[in-house]
Amino acid sequence: MKKKMSKMMVCVCVLTGLLFGCAGSQRLSDNFDEAEVKAAAESVIEILNSGEVELLVDEQWNAVMKGAADAEMLKSEIVPIVEELGEFEGFDKEAVTGSKDPDTEQEFAVAVIKAKYEKRKAQFTISFDEDMKVAGFFIK
């Protein structure tokens, strides 16, 4: 299982790295509302916890994420990781920062959410584009 988790983490990390490779953390852009970003990130986590990955991909993913992490990949790689955590208990710590792609100047909001589960905690890093679509996803 560790080998599978490592493979998935590398895959999702690469997706996030492609989007933010040269971009550093910065103050959240005025184009985003911190409370809205936190609520959107929590919603993504709750949908993932429910196993409704088609809904997540169809309604929440931006075009880049749809091409990189489809519903089948989430079902086979991410859902088992989430199921292994046990029953979801609630959100713990949350932080939101900004990021900008240095090549395109596109701004992103990045939410880091720690969630408590029955067996252990997990940390989600979820990036949003200006349309509030998921542009990056990482679970640790």
Side-chain angles (χ1 to χ4, degrees), residues 38-114:
K38 285 181 182 178
E42 289 176 357
S43 175
V44 167
I45 296 166
E46 289 168 347
I47 292 169
L48 182 63
N49 288 336
S50 74
E52 297 180 52
V53 294
E54 291 89 0
L55 176 68
L56 192 59
V57 171
D58 292 343
E59 295 184 13
Q60 303 286 327
W61 264 203
N62 71 9
V64 174
M65 285 295 292
K66 284 180 182 179
D70 64 11
E72 287 305 313
M73 191 273 268
L74 290 177
K75 282 181 192 175
S76 66
E77 301 292 334
I78 298 292
V79 170
I81 293 170
V82 173
E83 289 173 347
E84 188 177 288
L85 296 170
E87 192 70 30
F88 176 71
E89 295 180 349
F91 298 106
D92 196 7
K93 297 178 183 176
E94 301 177 329
V96 175
T97 62
S99 184
K100 184 185 279 190
D101 183 313
D103 296 326
T104 65
E105 296 295 314
Q106 184 177 5
E107 294 182 310
F108 298 92
V110 181
V112 179
I113 310 283
K114 290 190 178 179

Side-chain angles (χ1 to χ4, degrees), residues 3-4 8 22 27 44 63 65-66 69 73 76 98 111 131:
K3 188 175 184 179
K4 189 174 186 179
M8 186 58 214
C22 299
R27 186 178 79 64
V44 167
M65 285 295 292
K66 284 180 182 179
M73 191 273 268
S76 66
D131 295 325

